[in-house]
């Protein structure tokens, strides 16, 4: 089976951009969100010695003729070849290493360059065959996405 690095759901084309193995520590020197530049915590370590951080960027492009709705799309869990799910890290602890503004779910204008969605995950070092779940509401509707009427697909990741 050949890997799949892009998938169109409705009018939204999801495109794999990058997956970076950040090891077991997110370094204070890698903080990208200036809102947290005075953040005194410094480095952030994985919660378990058998884990590593992976920073994923997926682009979303509107292939249609009108703007998509805000919050009509997102990226979800990383899934490995064993079917194990790894949930994205959220909240103040991880925020310094994520771009601001967060463009995940942003309104997409037709035919513009892909809008990057960046998330960080804690994944087992043993996991292989990583894929990420991309999803949108049926008919690219934000209401459908929030009510669980979704189209989703697993896109392959190349972790560097």
């Amino acid at each position: 089976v050949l890997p799949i690095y892009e998938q169109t759901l409705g009018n939204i084309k999801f495109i794999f951009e990058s997956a970076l193995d950040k090891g077991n520590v997110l370094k204070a020197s890698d903080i990208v969100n200036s809102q947290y530049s005075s953040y005194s915590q410094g480095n952030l370590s994985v919660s378990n010695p058998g884990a590593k951080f992976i920073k994923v960027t997926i682009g979303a492009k509107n292939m249609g003729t009108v703007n998509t709705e805000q919050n009509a799309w997102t990226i979800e869990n990383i899934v490995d070849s064993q079917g194990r799910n790894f949930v994205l890290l959220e909240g103040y602890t991880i925020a310094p290493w994520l771009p601001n503004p967060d463009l995940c779910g942003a309104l997409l204008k037709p035919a513009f360059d892909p809008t990057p969605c960046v998330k960080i995950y804690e994944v087992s070092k043993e996991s292989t065959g990583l894929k990420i779940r991309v999803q949108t509401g049926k008919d690219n509707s934000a209401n459908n996405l929030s009510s669980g009427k979704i189209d989703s697909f697993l896109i392959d990741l190349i972790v560097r």
Side-chain angles (χ1 to χ4, degrees):
V1 179
L2 290 173
I4 298 173
Y5 300 112
E6 54 184 55
Q7 180 68 30
T8 304
L9 300 173
N11 286 327
I12 300 174
K13 180 183 219 172
F14 293 92
I15 303 154
F16 168 76
E17 292 186 1
S18 68
L20 304 173
D21 181 339
K22 303 304 267 181
N24 60 356
V25 175
L26 293 176
K27 296 183 178 73
S29 58
D30 291 339
I31 288 176
V32 294
N33 189 334
S34 57
Q35 185 180 337
Y36 296 90
S37 58
S38 62
Y39 200 57
S40 58
Q41 176 187 324
N43 296 342
L44 179 67
S45 297
V46 291
S47 62
N48 181 297
K52 62 184 176 184
F53 290 113
I54 296 181
K55 184 176 188 176
V56 178
T57 305
I58 299 291
K61 181 173 180 158
N62 183 347
M63 307 303 285
T65 56
V66 297
N67 290 352
T68 66
E69 295 175 338
Q70 179 89 20
N71 298 320
W73 62 278
T74 189
I75 66 175
E76 285 289 319
N77 299 349
I78 286 180
V79 181
D80 72 8
S81 58
Q82 305 294 308
R84 295 178 286 218
N85 278 264
F86 301 97
V87 179
L88 60 106
L89 299 171
E90 295 183 285
Y92 290 109
T93 357
I94 204 73
W97 289 273
L98 292 170
N100 185 18
D102 173 2
L103 298 176
C104 300
L107 176 149
L108 302 174
K109 295 179 177 171
F112 278 40
D113 286 345
T115 297
C117 177
V118 180
K119 299 283 185 199
I120 298 175
Y121 300 81
E122 207 174 0
V123 175
S124 168
K125 287 180 180 173
E126 294 177 11
S127 291
T128 57
L130 301 181
K131 298 174 184 278
I132 192 158
R133 185 175 312 285
V134 297
Q135 62 184 39
T136 179
K138 296 261 183 223
D139 305 316
N140 299 134
S141 153
N143 284 343
N144 283 343
L145 182 61
S146 62
S147 68
K149 297 180 192 126
I150 57 171
D151 290 323
S152 72
F153 191 83
L154 288 170
I155 290 181
D156 290 280
L157 298 178
I158 302 170
V159 181
R160 293 198 184 331

